[in-house]
Amino acid sequence: MADKTRSQKLKRLVAVQRHLEQMAEFDLAETSRQRAEVNDQMDSVILALGSMDPVHHAFSQGYADRFNRLGIKDKQLTGMQQIHEMRVVQERAKGDRLEDGMREALESERREADDNAVYDLIDQAFGTPASSKLQKS
């Protein structure tokens, strides 16, 4: 576990961050669904208030109260939806930054491995000064 490279650690963090992003998107979708439900209910109450049916006239005050409550709930859900939208953007930005860092770390690790391979080839071809001193002794 301790020998994991920086890019592997960042890859895992990216996966966790993307999961957090998905959770934020789910919360946003749920809030949007609830708002659509409230709007449908408000439309139904408006239809009942505008109805010429005498049964609806008897309940007009109840409909008006319900419409007010639904309006309050819609405002609350609108605020929640804005918060969820900001959270989705923040989580996505964090994930993108982590992913960029992971790519940079991976590229750095590849360059280091390539450099080490070149040094190994040079050492094999020409021998290192330390190994030549050992051979002379």
Side-chain angles (χ1 to χ4, degrees), residues 1 18 34 97 103:
M1 283 271 185
R18 293 303 181 200
Q34 288 176 0
R97 282 193 305 270
R103 286 188 191 118

Side-chain angles (χ1 to χ4, degrees), residues 100-113:
D100 290 343
M102 179 193 68
R103 286 188 191 118
E104 289 172 9
L106 191 57
E107 183 61 31
S108 174
E109 291 165 6
R110 285 181 184 152
R111 274 194 308 268
E112 184 179 346

